[in-house]
């Protein structure tokens, strides 16, 4: 099942650079791993913003929440989830 | 270049059913054609709503506007466009 | 899987009473049937408004959208869907 | 009487982890206790967010406020309450 | 129990004056009757708007919804309900 | 003249408890005094929130602002004021 | 006492021109009269919009509501009222 | 002086096509004329929407309002005006 | 030319009182000076809020921005500017 | 291709002045350089605010995001991007 997920990142302005870099490094590894597993289907940057538009393909709401709440940047993110269903005019 | 496009449809409540069906039929043909051309990359239904989330892959803003304003349902739609760029953690 | 569904009804002010009553009658039968099937788990009225808060228990986003778009009042409703997952502090 | 209660948690980013864990532990015990008493009827996680949708079943607004303001996480929550009444199409 | 109720009236611009007057007449009688019963505790006009701020004193959400949905102007109103509890600094 | 006043309190999360308690104590005394003078006519708690709905009865906007800006919690409050006039269907 | 009043006009698109002109003529006469009486202290057009910013100087909320609800365009206006008090840094 | 002007067009869905075309034709002539005079400095289409972003260069608010309220589509537009001043980092 | 200017002040809660008083003192002197020059035409307090409604009368957007960005409280204010033009029904 | 870019700056109130000045100096040099390259086509100040309206002329969403995320003030900005296409009534 597909979910639209919008993630906006708000790092505290006084977070030390090396801590921020460490978290971002873990986030990237985490994101690449989920993409390789086919669960994080698409990941795009919203131009001009520290925000992404993602499509997740998972089996249940519980699996989705488990994956999202495990994001290293989760405590610093505002996340919005939208359930997507098949469109009657979709080719695929 | 990729664009997130959200389309929400608002048909006038007094539109005769056969007119609505005719416009929807044209809309479907138009959507299938653009998907076959590879320009309308993804088309998902927002669950529970007469709304879709689409990803377009076109060469310019002008081409995008031309395609969208040609939608048979365009006069009855509220459309929002967001420019998407490559994400540094994207696998693809 | 559970979904929070908020439905707000907006009937056109010039809809004849007998048409409105007929649609509402069909809506009630449809709602009762889905509740008996266990798919429409809870149905509450938001006090003071022509709006409800519902919990659906279905197998997929597609099944949810199919059920919601089949509502007799669907053309006159604004519907919002929220995916609900298990809460770690929930007793059940 | 039933109330829809939405709780969104915003912990200060500089709160020490052990303090946060201690408050969350108390919150969980408090939530389990109210659920066992039948006052906190439902507790669901909004997928992807540090937010829940709850249904409370209490005798009065005063009892509701007393229970909510006693939540260990209350100072860090944004809470919205909606009064729910019986729906004429509800099976139960 | 006390409820804050905000009612905003939107009459269709093409409603004939005599129909509007008839509904308003019934509304006034209904409002006076509920005030005499002590259920509609306060009724104030929001200055400059076709809107009121009301305080209801009723036994349950169901009674409140029953009274509000019986308002002759109900089909033309947007109503918001807020549950009010006792304030620890209130004199009364 | 009557004014609807909504006050939402936002104490800084790092304010020491004894300072917060001292301010709240002064606030309560201040509120009781104005109620005894008949200027703070009603004071209700919005259920589930650190927010109140108040009705003030004072002679002028200047008097209202003077009373509100003198609230011990004023620097930590978001306040909204609405002018209320007599409703033609009000019993009183 | 001074009140900020924002009026936005929304005439129905199918209102006959001569009716609209007649109402606007009455509105102008009404506005000029209240200005001459010193009750409608300032009247400015918000550039680019069918909207005005006004300052009223009247004795009470009731008088304000009476004047505003008597506006010939009142049924077609969205009006917002804000109570203004003396500013401690004002020269006058 | 420069002004950002956003215009969103909302034609009534039941406006006859030939009337709409006539108004749009006049609008285009009007827009071209103001551009030739150097008063309508820039005119861009917001991609995917019946909306534009414009920059006007006129001598006063009054001149701006006079030009905008003279637009043939003015009765069907929602217009927002923002005053623009020189930016200290602007090259020109 | 006239401009509506809304200023809302948000001082950091941890700003020392003597610093706040010093800035406010400079702000008052600055405001009085501009009023004496006839540039800050009106200055009213929004009742119940640390916010004002002002009318400026200056020659250009640049002059307005220069005056506003020179306000001692400017770094702690949220400011909204609206261009005002002559109203056809204004007496003056 | 043209993009409308709105940038709002929010510097932390406790940022030392010399750090703020250093970042602003780099920002100005960066802005001037991009304007000289013809990529930052227009840069205007929104009157009364620490905000600008900019028009960028770049080849792709990726180039735009690269330029914007390289802004020295980027971590302290809220940025909104809107894709602009050619308007059929534009002279140029």
């Amino acid at each position: 099942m597909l979910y639209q997920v919008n993630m906006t990142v708000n790092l505290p302005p006084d977070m030390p650079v090396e801590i921020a870099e460490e978290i971002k490094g873990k986030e990237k590894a985490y994101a690449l791993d989920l993409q390789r597993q086919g669960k994080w289907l698409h990941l795009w940057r919203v131009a001009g913003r520290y925000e992404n538009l993602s499509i997740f393909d998972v089996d249940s709401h519980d699996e989705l929440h488990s994956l999202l709440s495990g994001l290293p940047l989760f405590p610093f993110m505002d996340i919005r989830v939208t359930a997507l269903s098949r469109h009657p005019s979709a080719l695929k």
Side-chain angles (χ1 to χ4, degrees), chain A residues 19-89:
Chain A
I19 306 249
E21 289 311 310
E22 187 190 329
I23 300 179
K24 290 180 193 175
K26 287 181 184 166
E27 178 84 9
K28 184 167 190 171
Y30 188 96
L32 286 170
D33 182 43
L34 288 183
Q35 289 175 81
R36 286 191 192 101
Q37 293 181 42
K39 293 181 186 303
W40 197 328
L41 205 59
H42 298 289
L43 170 55
W44 298 293
R45 171 66 77 212
V46 175
R49 296 179 63 77
Y50 197 172
E51 184 180 330
N52 71 61
L53 167 68
S54 294
I55 307 293
F56 276 74
D57 184 2
V58 294
D59 288 337
S60 69
H61 302 345
D62 285 350
E63 184 182 5
L64 180 73
H65 186 73
S66 171
L67 295 180
L68 293 177
S69 60
L71 286 163
L73 281 170
F74 182 76
F76 310 107
M77 276 177 169
D78 183 52
I79 297 183
R80 299 279 162 179
V81 170
T82 307
L84 299 175
S85 56
R86 202 179 181 283
H87 195 287
S89 301

